[in-house]
Amino acid sequence: MVTVGVFDSGVGGLSVLRALRAELPQVHFVYLADNAYAPYGEQAADAVIARAHQLTKQLRTEHKVQALVVACNTATAIAIDDLRKTHPDLPFIGVEPALKPAATLSRSGHIGVLATRGTMQSARFTHLLGAVRGAADRPLHIRCQPCDGLADAIERADAQAVLERAAHHLEQLRRQDADRPAIDTLVLGCTHYPFARETLQSLCGPEVV
Ligand code: DGL
């Protein structure tokens, strides 16, 4: 049986694992929730890279994984290139904020992105933004909001903190280009955020996808 490793800073990657298991029931998955070092999103890039190397080593040595899913936007953005260089024999699959589907889905071209500070400060994210804007056949207005504290509140299952953080960051997003029309599409660019989907949807209103 094929063994595939999956890791995230905590529960966020479980949203990815659920989809993987539904798609690939014959694969044996080993999931590593790195709660001890969570959240990744507000840490220095060097620390995230070092941690990603340590987890990869552990999954290879202890579980003999044959592929590794980096079920974390932050770790993908910051560390996946380095991991691929160090382990050319191991396939790495990463995740990135879903800007491409959002660009297709949005009717108005006004899109919001929520992600961690680490993801948004990465060269990989800047490149993705440029590529999506460059490939679009109409102007896209993409507002990006780093969400300090949101993944941590979700990790702690603190519903009140999730609501406060989500409301704060959505308000900040709204204030960007306040004279432009509101967004009609919101990208949840961190694997933790789908666990706050209901809260985010109720704050945004039903017209936002
Ligand atoms: N779940 C992670 C992501 O997709 C990181 C959350 C965190 O640890 O800050 O970015």
Side-chain angles (χ1 to χ4, degrees):
M1 189 184 254
V2 177
T3 301
V4 172
V6 183
F7 82 84
D8 178 45
S9 62
V11 297
L14 292 174
S15 61
V16 178
L17 181 66
R18 192 193 302 144
L20 287 168
R21 292 180 74 179
E23 281 290 320
L24 303 164
Q26 72 284 8
V27 172
H28 175 232
F29 290 102
V30 178
Y31 186 84
L32 211 156
D34 191 23
N35 317 71
Y37 282 76
Y40 287 174
E42 289 144 58
Q43 292 190 39
D46 284 356
V48 176
I49 293 173
R51 197 62 195 155
H53 276 293
Q54 204 170 331
L55 300 182
T56 301
K57 196 169 158 202
Q58 187 179 342
L59 286 163
R60 289 202 87 166
T61 314
E62 291 176 17
H63 299 281
K64 313 279 179 246
V65 298
Q66 288 140 285
L68 210 154
V69 178
V70 182
C72 172
N73 292 265
T74 312
T76 300
I78 295 174
I80 203 164
D81 290 339
D82 221 79
L83 293 172
R84 284 179 174 143
K85 256 182 238 148
T86 308
H87 302 269
D89 57 323
L90 186 69
F92 286 90
I93 301 94
V95 292
E96 64 182 12
L99 294 182
K100 290 174 193 167
T104 311
L105 209 63
S106 170
R107 294 175 310 280
S108 67
H110 290 272
I111 296 165
V113 186
L114 305 181
T116 68
R117 184 168 295 281
T119 295
M120 286 190 171
Q121 286 176 345
S122 69
R124 190 175 262 276
F125 182 72
T126 306
H127 182 265
L128 175 66
L129 261 180
V132 169
R133 283 196 175 114
D137 50 10
R138 58 182 175 153
L140 292 176
H141 305 282
I142 304 176
R143 291 164 224 188
C144 300
Q145 176 62 34
C147 296
D148 289 359
L150 182 55
D152 183 51
I154 293 167
E155 188 66 32
R156 291 185 286 107
D158 181 339
Q160 188 55 34
V162 170
L163 179 62
E164 279 165 19
R165 289 286 81 203
H168 169 77
H169 291 304
L170 287 172
E171 181 54 29
Q172 295 300 110
L173 189 81
R174 247 176 243 129
R175 288 186 188 181
Q176 296 180 26
D177 290 326
D179 48 336
R180 287 190 192 274
I183 59 162
D184 71 354
T185 306
L186 183 67
V187 176
L188 307 187
C190 165
T191 55
H192 277 69
Y193 301 168
F195 291 109
R197 190 191 175 117
E198 278 180 29
T199 303
L200 290 164
Q201 187 78 64
S202 68
L203 289 165
C204 288
E207 64 284 356
V208 174
V209 175

